[in-house]
Amino acid sequence: MDTFSILSSPSHTFFTRLLSLKPSPPHPLLHHLTQTLAFSSPKFPHTQNLLRFRVTVQSPSSAFPAKSQLSDADDDEEEDEFEEDDDEDVAADEYDDISGDMSDGLEQSDDEIEMEDSMAGAEPPAIRDEEFRWKRVEKLCEDVKLFGEEMIDDGALASIYDFRIDKFQRLAIQAFLRGSSVVVSAPTSSGKTLIAEAAAVATVAKGRRLFYTTPLKALSNQKFREFRETFGENNVGLLTGDSAVNKDAQVLIMTTEILRNMLYQSVGMSSARDSLFHVDVIVLDEVHYLSDISRGTVWEEIVIYSPKVVQLICLSATVANPDELAGWIGQIHGKTELVTSTKRPVPLTWHFSTKTSLLPLLDKTGKHMNRRLSVNYLQLSAAATKSNKDDGSRRRSSRRRASETSYDDSTGNMSRRPLSKNDINLIYRSQVPQVTDTLWHLKARDMLPAVWFIFSRKGCDAAVQYIQDCKLLDDCEASEVELALKRFRIKYPDAIRESAVKGLLRGVAAHHAGCLPLWKSFIEELFQRGLVKVVFATETLAAGINMPARTAIIASLSKRSDSGRTLLSSNELLQMAGRAGRRGTDERGHVVLIQNPYEGAEAGCKVLFAGLEPLVSQFTASYGMVLNLLAGSKVTRRSSESDDTKASQPGRTLDEARKLVEQSFGNYVGSNVMVAAKEELARIEKEIEMLTLEISDDAIDRKSRKLLSGPAYKEIADLQEELRAEKRLRTELRKRMESQKLSSLRPLLKECENGHLPFLCLQYKDSEGVQHSIPTVYLGKVELLSCSKLKNMVSVDDSFALNAVAAESEPTSVFEPSYYAALGSDNSWYLFTEKWIKTIYKTGFPNVALAQGDALPREIMSTLLDKTEMKWEKLAESDLGGFWGMEGSLETWSWSLNVPVLNSLSEHDELLLKSEAYNHAIGCYKEQRSKVSRLKKKISRTQGFREYKKIIDMANYTEEKIKRLKGRSRRLTNRIEQIEPSGWKEFLQISNVIHETRALDINTHTIFPLGETAASIRGENELWLAMVLRNKILLSLKPTELAAVCASLVSEGIKIRPWKNNSYIYEPSSTVIDVVSFLDEQRSTFLQLQEKHGVNKPCYLDTQFAGMVEAWVSGLTWREIMMDCAMDEGDLARLLRRTIDLLVQIPKLPDIDPVLQSNAKTASNIMDRPPISELAG
């Protein structure tokens, strides 16, 4: 079988080297690894920790300083720092300290912090705990009935559990029992849910109600199952939009949007009909989602609209500003206490995986990177390894160079000549481990089970396929998995992911959005039972789903976003790391960062020690918000109301609405921070202005006149003027040289269009000014390639627009750049103009078929390029067009491996050098450059140069200071932009659109039928959805067609997966296409209206996947609809669930035709069947 190497990269592909392209016997190393992973490897002895430090890093902005930990260091002896089984230290940051800081001044003592491991919340097995917990809850409820609410205290609530609860949990429970709202900020997996559970016990015992909200349906379903085990099925309900179970229960689990919509109808009202009647407590789980750009507004609205008599319990991961969050809630809602904890119940050890070893990421102090992971050390190690294969003289030379290298023990860095970016990338690439390399170390050190985070569903699946022959389960465990699979297949035959079965039977699985929810739940269950040893997952798994592991592996420290590749934030890294360490099972958790071609251990430490990010308000107005606030509780009419009240229900005034909107978290932070930030920014800008004047030419000239004698000044001034003139000429000659290069390249590239594929050297400078040289194989001119997707993108997308530029060599002529494509040795596609080509070589790939009947290499590579998703990232730009990069795939990797490195290509093969005109231009430029250099030396030998150099050095120092100040100015400006309140302006803009569409009269606040419908809808653009659903054209549609049209409204983000070997999807019927075409005209008009009033809300309408939904409603089975389908199962399931979510709303909306309501109900009932049923399993 083919053998591949999967690596971690900052992209959505994780492939490194193709070891074998043809079927061949197993590689000896892989054979050894396979045997090793089949439980036959010797275990490494666990080295005892000889020196251990616990250090806390507290954000300087926090008003609640952390307490220092006591050291439990043992000074008996110290191990050699170059031994691989060193003491693997724990990162400081947030994981090793705990502080219970509250607005009433609560603190923890050190002896309470330093509890014995056996007492620090070590839970017994979950089965035993759940067996008795519900009986204890029941007994407490009976005691309260008999003796009163005085029976409820922190001791009674803590007695429900078979283990001693942590200090921060007890502090939070005490604050809740005092009647305060509570903000809890603690690390992932530290036990925050216990606080909500205890509050639920107290609330149920009092005969009242508690609402528990989560950001995700999957998380709501998980909490629903957990709470039913504690409180019994009759006492727990679930609301997730399209699912309602026991909605009148005392403990009601729901998504945040559901609660926000309930609050719209009750805010400011005291009627007994209020939806929050009898509700004492609202739990906001994962409240750090408040910083989420697309959904953060919902959390702020809930806090703003919640009745003040309701206690809020806000559970958050660790953030930099929990004090600001607690202060804001206290100001607008009522008394609020803050409890923070930075101590994990299971400490974490950080590791770094390279090609040959698994090393501690940090040094013994836990404050610096392990110096064995520095680039210079890795370079030295590689050189030493190579020297062992060389002759004795070369070994002596290597040792001599090593002896000349100095170490700095305090920083863990080595003092060597500066390495270029290309040097560093070569070192990184040489250290990239294969999946089996890292897995072998984990298995040998007993660090499984593990969650392995890869930021690509394709990468997750490929990793499973790659190691599915590595046996991680014993025979007994494999039998259990086989039995579980058999039961799952009987119950949900369509939900089986056949391609994953082989890996699952060996103990490995993938978990990502491309999988069916039922299958993901099945994987989660097996993982919790210890029957899956490695789960390859995307980062969504870190968002609260209960899948704790012994080890968390992060494959890359960067991921691709809409704005290009970006480093993980500290919060994101710690959220994923929080999956490691199972409470009550593991003494320590482990986090492994993996070397990839783009980032090393330095980047890992940079992110780890960057400090926590603050919560940032994302408050934005929406159509639903405006309609509900201005129309108050009269959004829907009761059947008893007469028709003459249809459009005469007054709502809040604009002033009343403004008071609510301006209570946002952003306004609160802004009022405290904005003034100080703006004052600091003004001071910095004034200092920059003064320093800039000090380094101006006039200022330097004045200082020179003052310090130098007359003759010395005149000599230097004359030479400086001459130097400036020569530099201008050098610049002009360089431009002419570049222009001549462009002119010479054109015919050379044209010759290659039908011939062989030559090697090119592309060159660009990144945003930090670092120059990159990339060896590539030339594919061709874009407009001549058979790549329809690429050609269409370049011609349509304005980002790729090209402009003609006057040629430097011939001012009267105009140069028109063109785009070309090439594949780099790093398995990345590059899109570029002539500007970015450094040189072109005579050698390359012959454009000849490998076998008779095969396609030509240029055709094969063009096909592979056209199969990609076209996610181009701009790497550099110029007047002559941009330089773009995009990652290749597993299929292109074998091609990229055959692109030689630059130093193996001969200068004699450079075709550009054969151009006489270009060679002449190079000669003129080099001669002028030498002239400038000689003139600089002449200045350095003048009489007054020593004093003059002091002036220049001081100017350079000042310039560096200006750069630092500008950097601080940018950071302050960004912070100010983040906290600048903008909600009210957007509120008014949306009000104007609503007024003009006659949904609501903002003068009289009379709401009309369109507004009533829009106010009741949950969706991205409520007004647009209401306009569609109220359109009479939908009344003639059958249920199947109605579902297809609804799908076109909610298919945003659903994509065809280009790596699939087929591209088949069902087409919608002609009726659906005609209806959507009609609606598209309305959409265009509505978008123009939004633009007129400065509103930028998306209006989705896309029939691409409507046929798939129509086919499902028509009765096709899951197997039939997925046969040769170009969509992932998870994507189709998500589209179907979104469609169901919209359809089930229609019968509940006011002023909707009964025919449409009936058809929507019929369609949703047909659609809601396995394997996508919301409550299946």
Side-chain angles (χ1 to χ4, degrees):
M1 62 177 290
D2 294 350
T3 307
F4 298 104
S5 169
I6 313 297
L7 64 87
S8 55
S9 76
S11 61
H12 286 213
T13 49
F14 295 83
F15 314 113
T16 171
R17 302 179 285 288
L18 192 61
L19 298 179
S20 173
L21 294 175
K22 297 180 180 180
S24 61
H27 191 282
L29 173 61
L30 288 180
H31 177 74
H32 170 68
L33 288 175
T34 304
Q35 296 300 317
T36 301
L37 291 169
F39 287 86
S40 63
S41 65
K43 304 240 176 142
F44 288 169
H46 288 286
T47 306
Q48 294 297 319
N49 292 338
L50 298 181
L51 186 63
R52 184 179 303 155
F53 291 92
R54 291 186 179 179
V55 185
T56 297
V57 178
Q58 183 76 8
S59 170
S61 62
S62 175
F64 301 86
K67 302 287 183 192
S68 299
Q69 282 284 357
L70 295 177
S71 170
D72 55 355
D74 183 351
D75 297 323
D76 291 343
E77 59 178 322
E78 198 170 329
E79 287 187 61
D80 187 306
E81 63 188 344
F82 289 94
E83 287 293 323
E84 184 161 322
D85 287 325
D86 261 351
D87 172 30
E88 297 170 341
D89 300 289
V90 185
D93 210 17
E94 65 168 20
Y95 286 99
D96 291 317
D97 190 29
I98 176 169
S99 60
D101 301 309
M102 311 176 72
S103 57
D104 285 351
L106 293 175
E107 294 183 355
Q108 296 183 85
S109 61
D110 290 339
D111 62 326
E112 289 170 322
I113 295 170
E114 291 291 328
M115 292 187 292
E116 293 291 336
D117 287 344
S118 60
M119 301 297 290
E123 287 186 51
I127 295 175
R128 178 190 166 196
D129 185 38
E130 296 298 343
E131 186 179 348
F132 300 105
R133 192 181 304 170
W134 69 270
K135 293 182 179 179
R136 294 173 181 173
V137 172
E138 199 173 56
K139 184 178 184 306
L140 179 61
C141 292
E142 291 175 359
D143 288 345
V144 171
K145 286 180 183 177
L146 291 173
F147 305 109
E149 296 181 5
E150 294 78 9
M151 295 299 298
I152 302 174
D153 58 20
D154 60 314
L157 295 175
S159 68
I160 294 170
Y161 302 95
D162 284 335
F163 53 88
R164 179 176 175 179
I165 66 174
D166 286 343
K167 184 64 179 180
F168 86 93
Q169 295 167 333
R170 186 178 295 274
L171 289 172
I173 292 171
Q174 290 171 349
F176 166 75
L177 293 175
R178 284 194 292 272
S180 302
S181 291
V182 188
V183 172
V184 181
S185 176
T188 303
S189 301
S190 59
K192 296 186 289 292
T193 302
L194 182 145
I195 298 164
E197 200 172 67
V201 171
T203 306
V204 169
K206 295 176 184 178
R208 306 287 290 183
R209 300 185 76 196
L210 175 142
F211 286 175
Y212 190 112
T213 72
T214 75
L216 306 171
K217 285 184 180 180
L219 195 52
S220 293
N221 291 334
Q222 176 186 307
K223 297 299 180 186
F224 176 59
R225 292 190 292 269
E226 291 176 359
F227 274 70
R228 281 203 301 184
E229 291 173 353
T230 301
F231 297 99
E233 293 187 4
N234 294 332
N235 293 321
V236 182
L238 176 69
L239 282 178
T240 58
D242 49 0
S243 301
V245 179
N246 196 17
K247 62 181 180 180
D248 295 321
Q250 284 184 278
V251 178
L252 190 59
I253 317 292
M254 64 186 73
T255 51
T256 46
E257 281 79 3
I258 297 293
L259 177 58
R260 189 269 310 272
N261 291 350
M262 293 170 64
L263 288 168
Y264 273 150
Q265 301 178 41
S266 63
V267 59
M269 307 300 293
S270 57
S271 168
R273 301 179 185 273
D274 188 346
S275 297
L276 296 184
F277 187 58
H278 289 317
V279 174
D280 273 7
V281 185
I282 292 175
V283 177
L284 297 177
D285 199 358
E286 310 287 342
V287 78
H288 51 269
Y289 266 75
L290 183 144
S291 285
D292 185 78
I293 292 175
S294 58
R295 300 177 62 203
T297 299
V298 179
W299 277 261
E300 292 194 54
E301 288 188 85
I302 289 174
V303 174
I304 293 170
Y305 306 151
S306 292
K308 295 186 185 299
V309 295
V310 174
Q311 284 179 269
L312 299 179
I313 297 178
C314 303
L315 308 178
S316 170
T318 43
V319 292
N321 58 341
D323 50 327
E324 291 181 343
L325 177 64
W328 169 61
I329 296 175
Q331 179 174 295
I332 68 169
H333 186 76
K335 184 181 177 183
T336 302
E337 301 187 37
L338 171 67
V339 178
T340 63
S341 170
T342 53
K343 178 182 179 180
R344 287 181 49 85
V346 181
L348 290 184
T349 301
W350 292 77
H351 310 262
F352 194 82
S353 178
T354 66
K355 184 178 180 63
T356 58
S357 59
L358 182 66
L359 299 171
L361 176 66
L362 307 173
D363 66 6
K364 291 186 178 294
T365 68
K367 296 180 180 179
H368 300 289
M369 183 184 75
N370 180 354
R371 70 183 184 185
R372 284 178 290 162
L373 296 172
S374 69
V375 175
N376 285 327
Y377 189 92
L378 293 175
Q379 181 190 36
L380 189 64
S381 299
T385 302
K386 184 178 179 182
S387 71
N388 289 333
K389 302 175 183 178
D390 294 339
D391 61 325
S393 63
R394 295 192 63 180
R395 287 198 297 271
R396 287 192 296 273
S397 175
S398 176
R399 286 195 297 270
R400 186 165 58 251
R401 285 195 300 272
S403 67
E404 293 169 356
T405 303
S406 62
Y407 291 81
D408 179 356
D409 290 338
S410 64
T411 63
N413 292 325
M414 296 190 193
S415 237
R416 290 179 63 91
R417 65 172 181 80
L419 294 169
S420 69
K421 188 69 179 280
N422 286 334
D423 292 336
I424 293 172
N425 284 341
L426 285 173
I427 295 169
Y428 284 167
R429 289 191 181 110
S430 70
Q431 293 295 324
V432 173
Q434 300 181 34
V435 170
T436 47
D437 295 334
T438 303
L439 186 58
W440 185 87
H441 287 294
L442 298 178
K443 178 68 183 67
R445 298 184 183 204
D446 194 25
M447 290 168 64
L448 299 178
V451 175
W452 196 312
F453 289 104
I454 298 176
F455 305 130
S456 153
R457 59 175 73 173
K458 182 182 177 184
C460 292
D461 290 338
V464 171
Q465 296 296 320
Y466 182 64
I467 66 167
Q468 65 181 4
D469 292 326
C470 302
K471 186 178 179 184
L472 299 177
L473 301 179
D474 59 28
D475 292 340
C476 181
E477 290 171 327
S479 298
E480 286 191 62
V481 173
E482 199 167 356
L483 179 61
L485 266 170
K486 188 178 295 184
R487 290 172 176 167
F488 187 82
R489 191 185 294 275
I490 293 171
K491 193 172 183 181
Y492 307 113
D494 289 338
I496 287 284
R497 203 164 192 247
E498 297 294 350
S499 61
V501 170
K502 183 178 179 182
L504 198 59
L505 291 171
R506 296 300 182 105
V508 296
H511 185 292
H512 54 68
C515 306
L516 277 171
L518 274 173
W519 181 255
K520 288 195 290 185
S521 297
F522 179 58
I523 297 300
E524 292 165 16
E525 179 188 342
L526 292 180
F527 190 83
Q528 289 164 4
R529 290 170 57 187
L531 299 178
V532 173
K533 303 301 181 182
V534 179
V535 168
F536 293 95
T538 51
E539 70 270 30
T540 52
L541 184 65
I545 303 300
N546 184 26
M547 279 184 67
R550 179 166 295 165
T551 302
I553 305 157
I554 292 115
S556 174
L557 288 163
S558 63
K559 58 182 179 179
R560 186 176 292 279
S561 65
D562 293 338
S563 57
R565 190 178 293 119
T566 55
L567 269 180
L568 296 175
S569 68
S570 179
N571 290 27
E572 289 172 324
L573 177 64
L574 296 176
Q575 182 87 359
M576 287 183 281
R579 293 293 110 197
R582 296 164 298 176
R583 190 168 187 174
T585 302
D586 301 322
E587 290 185 7
R588 304 192 76 81
H590 302 275
V591 185
V592 178
L593 307 183
I594 297 182
Q595 175 72 64
N596 65 60
Y598 305 97
E599 302 129 5
E602 292 91 345
C605 290
K606 178 182 177 182
V607 176
L608 183 59
F609 292 120
L612 295 168
E613 293 183 333
L615 287 175
V616 177
S617 174
Q618 302 293 346
F619 191 88
T620 55
S622 66
Y623 289 109
M625 178 194 296
V626 174
L627 285 165
N628 280 289
L629 289 185
L630 294 182
S633 63
K634 301 294 185 179
V635 174
T636 56
R637 299 186 315 283
R638 295 185 294 276
S639 58
S640 60
E641 291 180 330
S642 59
D643 289 340
D644 58 1
T645 65
K646 184 173 182 178
S648 60
Q649 301 172 5
R652 290 176 186 78
T653 65
L654 284 175
D655 286 340
E656 291 171 335
R658 181 168 188 167
K659 288 179 181 177
L660 286 172
V661 172
E662 290 189 341
Q663 289 181 359
S664 72
F665 180 55
N667 280 350
Y668 171 81
V669 174
S671 63
N672 293 337
V673 177
M674 186 74 73
V675 175
K678 285 186 174 179
E679 287 177 355
E680 176 69 3
L681 185 62
R683 185 193 66 77
I684 290 173
E685 289 175 348
K686 186 175 180 180
E687 187 175 358
I688 289 174
E689 185 180 350
M690 292 174 60
L691 292 174
T692 303
L693 291 175
E694 291 181 14
I695 61 172
S696 65
D697 288 343
D698 289 341
I700 292 175
D701 186 66
R702 286 195 301 272
K703 291 177 182 177
S704 299
R705 286 178 182 272
K706 185 175 180 181
L707 288 178
L708 302 178
S709 64
Y713 167 77
K714 186 176 187 308
E715 182 183 15
I716 287 181
D718 291 344
L719 289 174
Q720 282 288 355
E721 184 59 38
E722 185 181 351
L723 179 62
R724 281 191 285 269
E726 296 297 342
K727 282 183 175 180
R728 286 193 294 269
L729 180 57
R730 182 187 63 181
T731 301
E732 183 181 341
L733 289 174
R734 182 180 57 78
K735 290 180 179 179
R736 288 184 183 178
M737 179 185 66
E738 289 292 329
S739 180
Q740 188 59 57
K741 183 185 79 170
L742 298 177
S743 301
S744 302
L745 276 172
R746 275 276 172 89
L748 294 174
L749 294 171
K750 190 173 183 180
E751 288 177 14
C752 302
E753 288 301 334
N754 297 314
H756 79 300
L757 285 67
F759 297 131
L760 305 179
C761 175
L762 304 179
Q763 197 170 71
Y764 77 99
K765 285 187 178 181
D766 61 24
S767 57
E768 298 178 357
V770 178
Q771 185 163 281
H772 301 262
S773 296
I774 308 164
T776 64
V777 59
Y778 176 68
L779 183 58
K781 194 173 183 178
V782 169
E783 62 188 45
L784 300 178
L785 293 174
S786 57
C787 301
S788 56
K789 282 167 62 178
L790 179 61
K791 285 194 283 191
N792 182 61
M793 181 196 70
V794 169
S795 60
V796 173
D797 194 332
D798 291 339
S799 303
F800 297 90
L802 295 173
N803 299 311
V805 178
E808 292 288 339
S809 55
E810 300 177 29
T812 57
S813 65
V814 173
F815 181 81
E816 295 185 2
S818 302
Y819 274 118
Y820 302 86
L823 179 67
S825 63
D826 57 353
N827 196 30
S828 292
W829 289 106
Y830 292 100
L831 184 65
F832 53 92
T833 61
E834 296 88 346
K835 153 76 179 173
W836 309 103
I837 302 176
K838 182 184 179 185
T839 191
I840 180 170
Y841 295 92
K842 184 167 59 177
T843 54
F845 291 170
N847 194 32
V848 179
L850 294 178
Q852 188 174 1
D854 286 356
L856 297 176
R858 181 174 272 111
E859 295 174 5
I860 295 173
M861 292 177 68
S862 297
T863 302
L864 294 176
L865 174 57
D866 214 36
K867 284 174 66 177
T868 58
E869 280 192 85
M870 295 296 152
K871 289 189 174 181
W872 293 96
E873 177 186 355
K874 182 178 280 191
L875 303 175
E877 57 183 337
S878 73
D879 294 339
L880 291 169
F883 183 76
W884 304 76
M886 176 180 67
E887 289 163 12
S889 64
L890 179 61
E891 296 166 293
T892 60
W893 198 261
S894 59
W895 294 88
S896 69
L897 289 174
N898 289 302
V899 179
V901 295
L902 291 175
N903 58 14
S904 67
L905 293 168
S906 172
E907 288 186 6
H908 299 294
D909 289 335
E910 293 188 31
L911 296 177
L912 263 178
L913 298 179
K914 300 184 185 299
S915 167
E916 291 185 9
Y918 180 55
N919 273 325
H920 176 70
I922 290 177
C924 292
Y925 171 70
K926 287 184 175 179
E927 183 180 344
Q928 183 62 24
R929 192 172 60 184
S930 298
K931 192 173 182 180
V932 169
S933 181
R934 289 194 298 271
L935 198 52
K936 286 181 178 179
K937 289 181 180 178
K938 186 176 180 180
I939 293 174
S940 68
R941 291 194 292 265
T942 57
Q943 179 185 350
F945 179 73
R946 186 184 297 273
E947 295 299 324
Y948 179 74
K949 189 175 183 300
K950 291 179 181 178
I951 298 172
I952 298 301
D953 288 345
M954 182 56 68
N956 291 336
Y957 173 79
T958 304
E959 196 168 352
E960 286 297 319
K961 186 176 181 180
I962 290 173
K963 285 182 182 179
R964 292 194 298 271
L965 288 171
K966 284 182 176 179
R968 175 156 174 72
S969 175
R970 282 193 300 271
R971 291 191 295 272
L972 271 174
T973 301
N974 291 338
R975 177 65 170 147
I976 289 171
E977 287 175 356
Q978 288 176 336
I979 61 180
E980 187 79 60
S982 58
W984 182 244
K985 179 182 177 183
E986 190 177 18
F987 190 97
L988 292 178
Q989 290 170 333
I990 289 175
S991 299
N992 292 331
V993 176
I994 288 173
H995 180 73
E996 195 160 334
T997 56
R998 294 291 293 166
L1000 176 78
D1001 187 327
I1002 60 173
N1003 296 316
T1004 63
H1005 302 289
T1006 300
I1007 189 167
F1008 297 99
L1010 175 61
E1012 288 194 72
T1013 303
S1016 301
I1017 289 178
R1018 298 187 314 276
E1020 192 76 24
N1021 188 320
E1022 303 92 338
L1023 187 56
W1024 163 240
L1025 292 175
M1027 293 172 72
V1028 172
L1029 296 179
R1030 294 183 59 79
N1031 199 301
K1032 299 301 180 184
I1033 196 172
L1034 299 188
L1035 300 180
S1036 61
L1037 298 179
K1038 300 173 184 176
T1040 54
E1041 297 164 341
L1042 175 61
V1045 172
C1046 287
S1048 70
L1049 299 170
V1050 295
S1051 61
E1052 185 269 334
I1054 306 294
K1055 296 177 182 177
I1056 288 176
R1057 298 296 160 183
W1059 57 80
K1060 295 224 168 192
N1061 295 325
N1062 46 65
S1063 57
Y1064 184 79
I1065 58 174
Y1066 286 91
E1067 295 292 330
S1069 62
S1070 58
T1071 303
V1072 172
I1073 293 174
D1074 292 341
V1075 169
V1076 172
S1077 298
F1078 174 80
L1079 293 174
D1080 196 43
E1081 296 177 8
Q1082 290 190 341
R1083 176 176 172 271
S1084 299
T1085 303
F1086 183 61
L1087 285 172
Q1088 291 174 5
L1089 179 61
Q1090 285 196 149
E1091 187 177 357
K1092 171 185 171 183
H1093 293 288
V1095 174
N1096 183 25
K1097 296 287 181 184
C1099 303
Y1100 301 119
L1101 189 66
D1102 183 4
T1103 60
Q1104 183 179 13
F1105 302 107
M1108 299 294 290
V1109 175
E1110 197 171 6
W1112 179 250
V1113 187
S1114 297
L1116 263 67
T1117 66
W1118 188 257
R1119 288 182 184 274
E1120 290 171 336
I1121 204 170
M1122 287 305 302
M1123 189 176 297
D1124 297 326
C1125 182
M1127 300 174 69
D1128 278 345
E1129 289 181 317
D1131 286 334
L1132 180 56
R1134 190 158 53 255
L1135 174 62
L1136 295 174
R1137 290 254 42 109
R1138 286 183 190 174
T1139 307
I1140 293 171
D1141 183 58
L1142 180 56
L1143 287 169
V1144 297
Q1145 292 184 62
I1146 294 175
K1148 305 171 188 175
L1149 297 176
D1151 291 300
I1152 293 293
D1153 193 288
V1155 173
L1156 186 68
Q1157 291 179 327
S1158 175
N1159 286 339
K1161 189 173 183 179
T1162 300
S1164 63
N1165 288 339
I1166 295 172
M1167 291 181 69
D1168 197 10
R1169 64 183 191 270
I1172 60 126
S1173 300
E1174 182 71 18
L1175 295 179

